[in-house]
């Protein structure tokens, strides 16, 4: 059976548990021996490209990188023809795409022949969410994500693709999530990575006040105010989101043991200050470390490990 990892929401709980476990369990470094993984990037990346290629190498495979300039999905040829081509030569493809719909179009044509991993789309960033869960589990659960139930996490700033996947992953684990953002930048409900999914153990609260968002929480998370592709709105966004910056003053309203998370790249002085990013509360480098663990877990699960 070919597996895909396009959103957290479409991945059943037991599969997420398997991914979390395999991320840090002893591994077989020949699992991908002789196998290539196509890495397609329509947008820039440091952490995702580095963690993907090193995780493939760690499992004995090799990664082939394709940039937007070379592959030109929708310009040089259609997403469908890119998918059909890659499926002739690879069993796995991990892709960072402008539009989530590109991943759905690839999935529609490759069927069982090519396993797909979402390395960030406009909708979701599920491999980041896996790394974030592993980081919080190290901090508050002795490495066990199931121990996070009842914890409280606040996200402040622009509610992005990262926020959506994070909210779904944490709520599945029984974590209470509060998102603080101005109305225009708040999470929208519904859609493919639905943060308002019914029946989850953890709650979701949407507020428009940053202090209300972070008061008493165990962790404060933020992401860029200007996501890739939104550069034309930079000045407007900096004005609209200024009061949502993660500063020492804002952090003082969280629990005294609270940690700070950011998917990076950080825009120091905008969504987060140097003082907070470089403080003892910051766990951003642990998140980076776990980007590779997360990719190892996802790749092992894709190859059918239990
Ligand atoms: N967090 C993250 O996805 O970083 P990159 O954009 O550098 O890959
Ligand atoms: N929300 C950001 C995340 C970058 C890792 C973006 O989409 O650009």
């Amino acid at each position: 059976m070919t597996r895909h990892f396009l959103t957290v929401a479409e991945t059943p709980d037991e599969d997420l548990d398997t991914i979390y476990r395999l991320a840090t369990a002893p591994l077989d470094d020949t699992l991908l021996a002789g196998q290539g993984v196509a890495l397609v990037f329509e947008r820039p990346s440091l952490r995702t490209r580095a963690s993907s290629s090193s995780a493939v190498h760690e499992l004995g495979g090799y990664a082939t990188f394709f940039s937007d300039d070379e592959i030109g999905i929708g310009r040089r040829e259609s997403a469908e023809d890119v998918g059909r081509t890659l499926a002739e030569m690879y069993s796995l493809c991990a892709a960072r795409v402008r539009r989530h719909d590109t991943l759905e179009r690839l999935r529609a044509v490759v069927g069982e022949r090519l396993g797909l991993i979402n390395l960030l789309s406009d909708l979701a960033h599920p491999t980041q969410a896996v790394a974030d869960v592993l980081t919080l589990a190290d901090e508050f659960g002795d490495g066990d994500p199931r121990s996070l139930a009842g914890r409280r996490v606040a996200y402040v700033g622009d509610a992005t693709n990262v926020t959506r996947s994070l909210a779904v992953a944490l709520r599945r684990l029984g974590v209470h999530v509060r998102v603080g953002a101005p109305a225009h930048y708040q999470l929208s409900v519904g859609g493919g990575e639905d943060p308002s999914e019914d029946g989850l153990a953890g709650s979701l609260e949407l507020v428009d006040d940053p202090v209300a968002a972070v008061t008493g929480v165990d962790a404060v998370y933020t992401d860029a105010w200007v996501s890739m592709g939104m550069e034309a709105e930079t000045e407007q966004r900096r004005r609209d989101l200024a009061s949502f910056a993660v500063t020492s003053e804002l952090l003082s309203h969280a629990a005294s043991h609270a940690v700070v998370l950011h998917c990076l790249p950080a825009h120091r002085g905008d969504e987060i200050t140097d003082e907070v990013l470089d403080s003892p509360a910051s766990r951003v480098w642990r998140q980076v470390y776990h980007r590779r663990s997360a990719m190892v877990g996802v790749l092992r699960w894709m190859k059918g490990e239990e």
Side-chain angles (χ1 to χ4, degrees):
M1 184 192 70
T2 299
R3 289 173 162 158
H4 303 289
F5 189 61
L6 300 193
T7 62
V8 178
E10 71 178 37
T11 310
D13 280 348
E14 55 272 28
D15 290 336
L16 289 171
D17 285 344
T18 302
I19 290 170
Y20 297 141
R21 185 168 36 77
L22 292 174
T24 53
L27 56 80
D28 169 8
D29 64 6
T30 63
L31 182 72
L32 294 176
Q35 296 180 52
V37 178
L39 300 182
V40 175
F41 282 82
E42 286 195 296
R43 290 202 185 281
S45 167
L46 172 58
R47 280 144 291 269
T48 308
R49 182 173 172 182
S51 57
S52 304
S53 41
S54 55
V56 170
H57 181 74
E58 199 172 350
L59 294 169
Y62 65 93
T64 314
F65 176 77
F66 300 95
S67 72
D68 186 43
D69 284 347
E70 294 167 292
I71 203 164
I73 296 175
R75 300 190 307 278
R76 189 164 183 267
E77 61 189 316
S78 69
E80 286 77 7
D81 286 352
V82 169
R84 291 180 183 111
T85 300
L86 293 175
E88 292 295 326
M89 296 177 211
Y90 298 91
S91 60
L92 293 172
C93 168
R96 170 167 284 196
V97 295
R98 290 192 180 82
R99 291 165 44 88
H100 194 79
D101 176 59
T102 300
L103 292 167
E104 297 296 355
R105 288 171 62 192
L106 289 170
R107 173 155 61 180
V109 295
V110 299
E112 293 286 304
R113 296 185 301 146
L114 186 68
L116 296 169
I117 303 171
N118 178 4
L119 294 182
L120 180 146
S121 66
D122 54 344
L123 181 76
H125 198 357
T127 61
Q128 177 73 51
V130 173
D132 299 338
V133 165
L134 296 171
T135 304
L136 287 167
D138 281 352
E139 193 65 33
F140 297 117
D142 282 332
D144 176 11
R146 288 278 152 206
S147 300
L148 291 173
R151 291 282 173 183
R152 290 184 290 170
V153 173
Y155 179 96
V156 287
D158 180 27
T160 60
N161 41 10
V162 168
T163 324
R164 300 180 80 81
S165 295
L166 178 76
V168 178
L170 292 181
R171 290 192 61 217
R172 290 277 195 92
L173 293 166
V175 176
H176 303 298
V177 178
R178 227 185 266 146
V179 180
H184 186 59
Y185 298 90
Q186 188 51 275
L187 275 183
S188 54
V189 299
E193 183 80 302
D194 184 4
S196 66
E197 216 181 331
D198 285 335
L200 299 188
S203 60
L204 176 68
E205 205 182 333
L206 305 181
V207 299
D208 63 5
D209 177 67
V211 174
V214 306
T215 297
V217 297
D218 299 296
V220 175
Y221 199 123
T222 192
D223 179 11
W225 288 343
V226 184
S227 282
M228 292 179 275
M230 295 180 173
E231 291 78 7
E233 299 173 20
T234 299
E235 289 316 313
Q236 181 71 48
R237 286 172 164 268
R238 291 176 89 177
R239 279 195 297 276
D240 293 347
L241 290 157
S243 61
F244 289 79
V246 179
T247 61
S248 296
E249 200 287 317
L250 184 65
L251 191 59
S252 71
H253 298 276
S256 56
H257 61 258
V259 296
V260 174
L261 303 175
H262 190 311
C263 56
L264 305 179
H267 307 83
R268 291 165 176 264
D270 281 348
E271 76 273 5
I272 192 164
T273 60
D274 284 334
E275 193 181 20
V276 173
L277 195 68
D278 300 331
S279 73
S282 174
R283 294 293 179 276
V284 299
W285 305 116
R286 191 66 181 167
Q287 287 176 274
V288 170
Y289 167 85
H290 274 314
R291 291 301 306 278
R292 181 155 93 165
S293 327
M295 276 307 292
V296 166
V298 170
L299 288 165
R300 294 176 73 180
W301 170 76
M302 302 276 293
K303 295 307 288 183
E305 276 198 66
E306 296 299 338

